[in-house]
Amino acid sequence: MPNPSLLILPGDGIGPEVMAEVRKVIDWYGAKRDLAFDVSEDLVGGAAYDAHGTPLTDATMAKAQEADAVLLGAVGGPKYDVLDFSVKPERGLLRLRKEMDLFANLRPAQCFDALADFSSLKKDVVAGLDIMIVRELTSGIYFGEPRGIIEEGNERVGINTQRYTESEIDRVARSAFELAMRRGKKLCSMEKANVMESGVLWREVVTEVGKDYPEVELSHMYADAGAMQLCRWPKQFDVIVTDNLFGDLLSDAAAMLTGSLGMLPSASLGKPMANGRPKALYEPVHGSAPDIAGQGKANPIACILSFAMALRYSFDCGDEATRLEDAVEKVLADGFRTADLLGEEGVDPVSTSQMGDAVVAALDASL
Ligand code: IPM
Ligand code: MG
């Protein structure tokens, strides 16, 4: 059997730096666990625009469709703010999501014990937090038509459309129920059924799907109340399922509960391919952080944990994923901190590559 293929798209800003650390981890699995990947690398976002005038070439899109999994760093940066909307770095990422049909975006928010003090919330509110947000990723207001900026009378009008079909809601709801079954068997669905028809339909379809999962305790919340509850007492949640835009907002809020955006991975999953693996793209939740790019300050853990999610969801190596997550936990417990995690007395930051090396050393120690 050929090695599974992994397409790496480091992207912009801190993307390449954090991805370099993931490469060390990938190499470790090849050398020490007999788990070798056929790795190729390509451009996305601003980097692709600089080289080719488009944030994602058709050739790269085709490679992504072929790969067993895609690992992406980050896209975007102030340099590209002036570009036309159609070629902005973000369009590259959105094209990948849409054309690979990655409808279920899994965003775990887990608070590592060693970092409970870093949250802006009180320690007892976040210690031990372990929730999973499932964000719909290929539809809703991000993609709905009509859209655009039009002239109307003597002024311009900006238009975006929130649109969800029953089948789009059904499939992401099923992914969320399946996850809930493997976790705490609680699912909270968030929308704005009080003001949006798409929210009314969302609630109906999720309720209907819930009949197939009688063991899962299903609740519904308006997304604004959900945001409030996430900050008030996040541990009431197990799995949250929500639409594309609410999921974007709620997952950033949930991420920050854990102390740093530099810690959180994500998996975007689609339908199974011919080989049974789901179409999949893994990426850290953090962005390209242009303010610290190129300085060795970035935290590579979110990207490393995204590779752990790939081991679990694409390559059926849950044990190895846990090994990597445990290695990260150990490194944090041992006091390694990148600059985003400072605040304790007398702790000097480690660099991006020192953090990567520490994770690899912890992997070695796990054998
Ligand atoms: C995210 C990001 C993206 C989004 C941007 C970069 C297009 O914020 O993945 O959460 O809005 O989905
Ligand atoms: Mg976002």
Side-chain angles (χ1 to χ4, degrees):
M1 277 249 291
N3 294 332
S5 62
L6 198 54
L7 174 64
I8 293 194
L9 303 172
D12 307 322
I14 61 171
E17 294 161 61
V18 295
M19 201 58 88
E21 303 314 307
V22 181
R23 290 299 287 262
K24 293 178 187 170
V25 171
I26 295 171
D27 291 346
W28 184 89
Y29 275 97
K32 302 287 173 73
R33 301 303 296 158
D34 206 16
L35 236 179
F37 294 91
D38 186 355
V39 180
S40 57
E41 209 171 295
D42 212 330
L43 301 174
V44 70
Y49 178 82
D50 289 340
H52 304 295
T54 165
L56 188 77
T57 64
D58 292 344
T60 310
M61 186 65 241
K63 274 197 223 168
Q65 295 283 20
E66 290 297 307
D68 288 319
V70 180
L71 195 57
L72 185 137
V75 294
K79 172 178 164 198
Y80 307 105
D81 284 350
V82 296
L83 291 183
D84 184 71
F85 197 74
S86 62
V87 289
K88 278 200 192 302
E90 290 79 3
R91 301 311 302 172
L93 175 57
L94 293 171
R95 180 177 177 198
L96 283 164
R97 291 173 177 173
K98 186 69 178 173
E99 292 192 20
M100 292 171 76
D101 202 17
L102 305 170
F103 60 87
N105 181 214
L106 279 44
R107 298 193 160 186
Q110 235 178 325
C111 185
F112 288 88
D113 284 347
L115 300 184
D117 282 322
F118 289 91
S119 175
S120 48
L121 298 192
K122 294 192 190 77
K123 188 169 179 170
D124 68 309
V125 177
V126 296
L129 179 73
D130 178 7
I131 61 181
M132 175 74 87
I133 296 186
V134 180
R135 167 189 178 194
E136 200 291 325
L137 202 60
T138 51
S139 184
I141 203 160
Y142 271 56
F143 297 99
E145 301 280 348
R147 67 184 298 162
I149 300 176
I150 61 166
E151 302 278 342
E152 203 175 88
N154 56 2
E155 63 175 352
R156 294 179 304 155
V157 185
I159 301 172
N160 290 93
T161 302
Q162 167 84 334
R163 183 178 191 279
Y164 270 108
T165 64
E166 287 182 293
S167 52
E168 285 168 341
I169 303 168
D170 184 287
R171 64 183 186 171
V172 72
R174 275 180 208 284
S175 302
F177 276 107
E178 291 290 338
L179 269 167
M181 284 297 287
R182 283 185 264 141
R183 296 172 43 104
K185 298 204 167 86
K186 269 170 63 180
L187 177 63
C188 182
S189 170
M190 296 187 187
E191 28 56 16
K192 288 278 289 176
N194 50 345
V195 287
M196 296 164 75
E197 285 80 357
S198 59
V200 173
L201 186 68
W202 182 281
R203 190 175 283 219
E204 278 177 25
V205 175
V206 172
T207 304
E208 199 55 38
V209 173
K211 293 183 182 155
D212 292 341
Y213 298 89
E215 280 177 60
V216 177
E217 182 195 316
L218 173 65
S219 59
H220 304 273
M221 231 179 242
Y222 298 138
D224 54 346
M228 184 267 285
Q229 291 296 341
L230 262 177
C231 304
R232 193 186 68 85
W233 189 244
K235 285 189 251 182
Q236 69 187 280
F237 298 111
D238 175 25
V239 181
I240 293 171
V241 64
T242 189
D243 77 14
N244 203 343
L245 181 61
F246 294 143
D248 183 41
L249 306 181
L250 293 169
S251 63
D252 262 27
M256 208 53 219
L257 301 177
T258 69
S260 170
L261 215 49
M263 298 293 302
L264 293 193
S266 80
S268 304
L269 306 176
K271 293 194 206 69
M273 300 184 280
N275 61 13
R277 295 189 171 109
K279 276 257 158 78
L281 179 144
Y282 299 87
E283 55 177 319
V285 170
H286 63 66
S288 57
D291 51 323
I292 58 162
Q295 300 169 36
K297 286 186 184 166
N299 183 350
I301 289 179
C303 204
I304 289 173
L305 290 176
S306 297
F307 176 65
M309 290 188 89
L311 289 172
R312 178 169 292 119
Y313 293 106
S314 282
F315 302 118
D316 243 348
C317 297
D319 291 352
E320 295 300 339
T322 304
R323 178 196 300 280
L324 181 50
E325 288 156 358
D326 289 349
V328 167
E329 183 142 23
K330 175 171 188 299
V331 161
L332 294 171
D334 287 349
F336 288 87
R337 301 282 184 265
T338 39
D340 55 313
L341 301 174
L342 287 183
E344 294 146 304
E345 290 281 317
V347 178
D348 287 328
V350 298
S351 68
T352 307
S353 74
Q354 284 170 324
M355 185 60 111
D357 291 343
V359 172
V360 169
L363 284 171
D364 267 332
S366 77
L367 294 178

